[in-house]
Amino acid sequence: AQKITQTQPGMFVQEKEAVTLDCTYDTSDQSYGLFWYKQPSSGEMIFLIYQGSYDEQNATEGRYSLNFQKARKSANLVISASQLGDSAMYFCAMRENFSGGYNKLIFGAGTRLAVHP
Amino acid sequence: DTAVSQTPKYLVTQMGNDKSIKCEQNLGHDTMYWYKQDSKKFLKIMFSYNNKELIINETVPNRFSPKSPDKAHLNLHINSLELGDSAVYFCASSPQFPEAGALSDTQYFGPGTRLTVL
């Protein structure tokens, strides 16, 4: 069965510094997708970044980048130049595929990030 | 423009009652989902519908009945509510087959409905 592991229940970082949130995954599929979502205290789930298993380049979206190491089955999120508004829960997720093009997301337990001024 | 919307945002009710949560998406997506987030923030899929057809049912008690009147709407009806049903319920949508160059079949989430059963 597919599994996502986030080993850091909580992290803190100083404003303007970079932080890495860890995510490892387990799958026997050759084709899969990895996602990061942000959940601020207001509760909504905000899509941040996506990495496909066949993508050779690491994904980047503004201050977010995904450090994808396929052999190690890790997909760590790097946030550069942290801002106070980055304080939130961060979830790593993997797409589990079904026949017919359908899928569901398997989520990790999340990491709570606190950005200190 | 709201992409995925849910109503209500908060729902407080007594044990044993029946309640519904509505979800609508204006993204033109084919597939919609319901996820449950428990008190420890763990997210788990409940159902998935594609063009009004049930695709995924993750061993959810049959007190939960999703209904999709059209591909833009997926409602969740819950009968005989129990204390353990208290959670945040998220609706999400995604394209079944992303267009070329699109950012995969990313799922976009609604704002969530916090259900409290007393």
Side-chain angles (χ1 to χ4, degrees):
Chain A
Q2 299 191 341
K3 189 177 177 183
I4 290 280
T5 302
Q6 294 179 254
T7 57
Q8 306 154 314
M11 290 279 288
F12 70 88
V13 64
Q14 291 294 125
E15 198 178 5
K16 298 180 185 176
E17 292 185 350
V19 63
T20 298
L21 306 183
D22 294 341
C23 173
T24 58
Y25 60 92
D26 189 16
T27 182
S28 55
D29 290 349
Q30 296 301 310
S31 175
Y32 51 89
L34 296 155
F35 303 79
W36 278 91
Y37 287 84
K38 172 184 178 181
Q39 187 175 39
S41 57
S42 50
E44 69 268 33
M45 292 287 289
I46 302 167
F47 165 70
L48 294 178
I49 196 166
Y50 164 78
Q51 180 84 41
S53 56
Y54 292 119
D55 295 341
E56 294 185 354
Q57 303 279 345
N58 285 340
T60 61
E61 287 289 343
R63 294 185 300 109
Y64 304 109
S65 60
L66 203 152
N67 184 358
F68 181 47
Q69 298 188 41
K70 197 169 180 177
R72 296 181 60 184
K73 292 190 174 178
S74 73
N76 299 338
L77 177 70
V78 181
I79 306 175
S80 62
S82 297
Q83 301 172 356
L84 295 178
D86 293 334
S87 294
M89 280 286 284
Y90 288 81
F91 292 96
C92 180
M94 180 167 58
R95 181 184 65 226
E96 181 176 355
N97 298 318
F98 296 88
S99 60
Y102 310 122
N103 65 82
K104 66 180 183 183
L105 290 179
I106 308 294
F107 283 88
T111 296
R112 184 172 296 281
L113 176 67
V115 180
H116 295 172
Chain B
D1 284 345
T2 303
V4 183
S5 60
Q6 292 178 231
T7 54
K9 187 163 174 61
Y10 299 97
L11 188 51
V12 181
T13 188
Q14 298 286 333
M15 233 171 33
N17 284 350
D18 304 338
K19 290 293 178 186
S20 292
I21 305 171
K22 296 186 176 182
C23 177
E24 176 181 1
Q25 55 95 4
N26 63 4
L27 297 167
H29 289 163
D30 308 296
T31 310
M32 297 183 72
Y33 312 80
W34 279 108
Y35 287 85
K36 178 180 179 181
Q37 185 175 42
D38 63 23
S39 58
K40 295 183 176 170
K41 300 288 190 182
F42 186 67
L43 274 151
K44 191 172 191 305
I45 190 164
M46 301 173 69
F47 300 103
S48 171
Y49 267 73
N50 180 267
N51 281 318
K52 304 193 295 177
E53 182 181 345
L54 179 66
I55 301 299
I56 296 172
N57 181 341
E58 286 283 306
T59 59
V60 177
N62 58 15
R63 297 183 296 104
F64 290 78
S65 53
K67 286 187 172 51
S68 181
D70 55 61
K71 77 172 192 177
H73 296 83
L74 180 62
N75 303 324
L76 184 65
H77 188 77
I78 315 169
N79 289 327
S80 303
L81 278 154
E82 300 177 357
L83 295 176
D85 298 332
S86 295
V88 179
Y89 292 85
F90 284 98
C91 177
S93 74
S94 71
Q96 179 184 359
F97 299 110
E99 296 174 1
L103 199 59
S104 177
D105 48 357
T106 298
Q107 294 185 21
Y108 293 92
F109 283 73
T113 295
R114 181 175 294 277
L115 171 64
T116 304
V117 183
L118 303 174

